[in-house]
Amino acid sequence: MARALPPETSGDEGCPAMAGLAALPVFLNLNGRRVALVGGSSAALWKAELAHAAGADVDVYSAEPCAGLVELARVRPRVRLVRRAFQADDLNGAALAIGDIEGAAEAAEFRAAAQAFGALANIIDKPALSDFQFGAIVDRSPLVVAISTDGASPILAQAVRGRIEAVLPAAIKLWAAAAKGWRESLKTLALAPRSRRRFWERFNARALAAGSAPPGEGLFTELLAEVERDPRGSEGSVALVGAGPGDSELLTLKALRMLQSADVVLYDDLVAPAIVDMARREAEKIAVGKRGYKPSCKQDHIVALMIELAGQGKRIVRLKGGDPMVFGRASEEIAALRGAGIPIEVVPGVTAALGAAASLQTSLTERATARRLQFVTAHAHDGKLPEDIDWRALCDPGASSVVYMGVRTLGALAERLLAHGADPATPALLVERATCPDERRIAGTIATLPAKAAAQAPSGPCLILIGAVFAAQADVDPAHRLAAAAE
Ligand code: SAH
């Protein structure tokens, strides 16, 4: 299957119409250009710093400059402070005219002067009188990201900036700088266009997964060797990635990066659609749910599919609910992929138990009363309660237990616990769809929970939480919770 081309090379069958772009983002090279700035406020100071940082010679006109502007002009030779009110011909020869101007008449006069001298104008907080706006900036120069809401909400722009900052690896600046240098070196090598693209694809994959590591000394030659060895890029890979219990905010940054560089995403039915949507737009998304009681053939099918796709050189993200290493049959997948010689990476996720603890605001351990924490599955190969559970451990009043896949066998589980001497009054809690907006809790004790749960017939994924630490939760009225969730 052909990999989708990046959007910039795919629009040649007619011009796709672009509807209503609020503003055209451009990245101005201000080296050696003059910027005229009118105003002495701290807002003007910030604009002076920005223009200076972008290479401009900045002339600031202000009869009463703030201390910061005075200091800036003192330490930056390219910032010149003119201590008087602005005159129209101050804008002569300026590429940009920026003003922090209160009065409407003065602002209009400033705008007219800018137009007369062919300078683009920005008047701070007066979008109607401005030719351009400053957006929020993520500065990893030479990589620069600018965000505009067309004046709708600077606070929203800041929030979006925060998101982007969070997903960019700390060292991306160094990678972008390296790319800038390597561009020229690569040109002199006269590589075939396909190989050149392959080089940058490999580079990008490394850069986005780099975290805080800078590009290594030998990386350029290493990537070249990789491309020469494998010009079509047949080196596929699989990442087993934890998607967390439901709330998409609980995804790790690494998981997000993996999703955004994947060619194919195979996802379980427990993974929320919002998380699958975070994958690269061009990635192929395949649901490989294995609900029900015949998971083995499905499992073989999933493994075979991963090996086939990796064999085609695809980067595969195998997205699993919670953490991939907890009741996720990861060992089988890892063994099969290793056997097929496919590189594997594992990215942890928040397992359901920890998501539930967070949403309950209940610590699973307590210094004196709950020194042990155990995760147990109550679902054997045949769908029944496993016979070989360590019942003494589960009955231990000094432990907190989290039972995965335990709804269908809850009655049998409670019976066995009581038969092994568990206190019937031990708090027991069922949490359905932990961390999701429709999370539901059913509170009781080992003795009462099975009947309560059966009466409410939960249909989503559920955990059974057992132990003294859940005592306070056992009193929570689930009807109250449901009402609160519905509000
Ligand atoms: N790897 C997953 C567990 C997979 S087994 C993890 O680390 O969470 C599937 C079981 O996990 C479900 O039957 C249920 O018991 C539990 N589970 C997964 N997501 C859940 C959620 N949001 N709320 C409650 N239980 C959940």
Side-chain angles (χ1 to χ4, degrees):
M1 207 173 311
R3 190 176 299 168
L5 289 174
E8 66 265 30
T9 57
S10 64
D12 51 4
E13 311 117 9
C15 257
M18 235 179 133
L21 185 63
L24 182 71
V26 292
F27 293 86
L28 281 181
N29 178 352
L30 288 176
N31 278 324
R33 305 293 301 272
R34 192 170 153 255
V35 168
L37 197 144
V38 172
S41 63
S42 54
L45 165 64
W46 171 232
K47 298 294 189 274
E49 289 201 18
L50 265 183
H52 175 271
D57 297 328
V58 187
D59 293 339
V60 184
Y61 300 90
S62 170
E64 291 171 44
C66 67
L69 268 171
V70 175
E71 178 61 11
L72 188 72
R74 195 179 70 77
V75 297
R76 303 271 189 238
R78 283 188 286 104
V79 177
R80 193 169 66 97
L81 186 55
V82 183
R83 287 183 183 247
R84 61 161 170 76
F86 134 86
Q87 298 159 4
D89 63 3
D90 291 336
L91 304 188
N92 192 356
L96 300 179
I98 304 167
D100 187 8
I101 300 171
E102 279 284 317
E106 290 91 331
E109 191 187 325
F110 177 83
R111 173 82 194 279
Q115 277 178 338
F117 288 111
L120 290 173
N122 170 270
I123 304 180
I124 295 169
D125 289 338
K126 295 198 170 46
L129 285 176
S130 298
D131 297 308
F132 69 93
Q133 304 294 329
F134 291 88
I137 297 173
V138 179
D139 176 19
R140 299 280 199 284
S141 293
L143 180 82
V144 178
V145 183
I147 302 140
S148 161
T149 58
D150 196 30
S153 170
I155 306 271
L156 177 62
Q158 294 300 336
V160 171
R161 184 181 75 158
R163 282 279 176 106
I164 296 174
E165 298 259 15
V167 295
L168 287 179
I172 196 75
K173 179 185 177 72
L174 304 173
W175 287 75
K180 207 171 178 185
W182 293 357
R183 236 190 145 68
E184 289 307 312
S185 319
L186 214 55
K187 267 190 199 149
T188 61
L189 289 176
L191 284 181
R194 194 172 62 185
S195 301
R196 195 164 341 126
R197 197 167 81 215
R198 184 76 199 132
F199 177 94
W200 289 119
E201 277 174 4
R202 301 293 306 151
F203 176 87
N204 293 347
R206 300 276 195 103
L208 289 176
S212 55
E217 284 271 306
L219 186 66
F220 184 80
T221 31
E222 194 187 314
L223 289 177
L224 268 186
E226 262 181 42
V227 168
E228 267 159 27
R229 218 174 32 239
D230 181 21
R232 284 184 307 112
S234 55
E235 169 92 324
S237 62
V238 174
L240 303 184
V241 175
D247 177 357
S248 58
E249 293 272 301
L250 295 176
L251 211 60
T252 63
L253 295 179
K254 191 160 191 178
L256 185 56
R257 272 185 219 133
M258 289 285 181
L259 280 172
Q260 293 180 346
S261 60
D263 296 312
V264 184
V265 178
L266 303 183
Y267 62 96
D268 282 348
D269 19 52
L270 278 182
V271 177
I275 293 176
V276 179
D277 284 347
M278 289 177 173
R280 196 163 71 97
R281 201 156 34 102
E282 297 83 1
E284 191 181 346
K285 291 142 195 141
I286 305 174
V288 291
K290 45 181 184 186
R291 281 260 167 90
Y293 282 112
K294 271 192 299 179
S296 53
C297 54
K298 272 280 193 184
Q299 184 68 19
D300 292 346
H301 172 71
I302 294 168
V303 169
L305 185 61
M306 285 196 286
I307 293 176
E308 185 196 326
L309 291 168
Q312 295 167 8
K314 306 235 160 115
R315 283 161 298 173
I316 299 157
V317 163
R318 168 83 170 98
L319 199 52
K320 286 169 173 278
D323 181 276
M325 306 310 230
V326 177
F327 303 129
R329 304 185 65 177
S331 51
E332 296 166 36
E333 296 184 11
I334 290 170
L337 292 165
R338 277 198 187 140
I342 294 164
I344 315 167
E345 185 169 356
V346 180
V347 179
V350 174
T351 190
L354 304 185
S359 95
L360 293 166
Q361 300 185 359
T362 297
S363 171
L364 299 176
T365 56
E366 281 304 330
R367 251 190 303 172
T369 53
R371 290 204 174 92
R372 187 149 51 88
L373 170 62
Q374 49 201 4
F375 296 172
V376 192
T377 172
H379 178 120
H381 279 308
D382 55 4
K384 297 197 178 125
L385 188 66
E387 281 303 316
D388 52 1
I389 290 179
D390 182 346
W391 299 108
R392 261 201 22 211
L394 263 197
C395 293
D396 177 0
S400 305
S401 306
V402 183
V403 183
Y404 286 67
M405 295 172 274
V407 179
R408 297 187 196 204
T409 52
L410 177 57
L413 177 81
E415 246 171 54
R416 296 293 283 272
L417 289 178
L418 296 176
H420 280 85
D423 179 353
T426 308
L429 194 65
L430 180 151
V431 182
E432 181 185 12
R433 293 196 186 89
T435 77
C436 300
D438 54 352
E439 175 182 312
R440 185 161 71 139
R441 301 163 190 179
I442 304 170
T445 62
I446 293 183
T448 64
L449 190 64
K452 285 185 164 184
Q456 301 216 22
S459 58
C462 295
L463 291 175
I464 315 291
L465 308 163
I466 302 169
V469 294
F470 304 109
Q473 300 297 335
D475 297 323
V476 172
D477 176 6
H480 169 76
R481 278 281 314 160
L482 279 180
E487 269 168 20

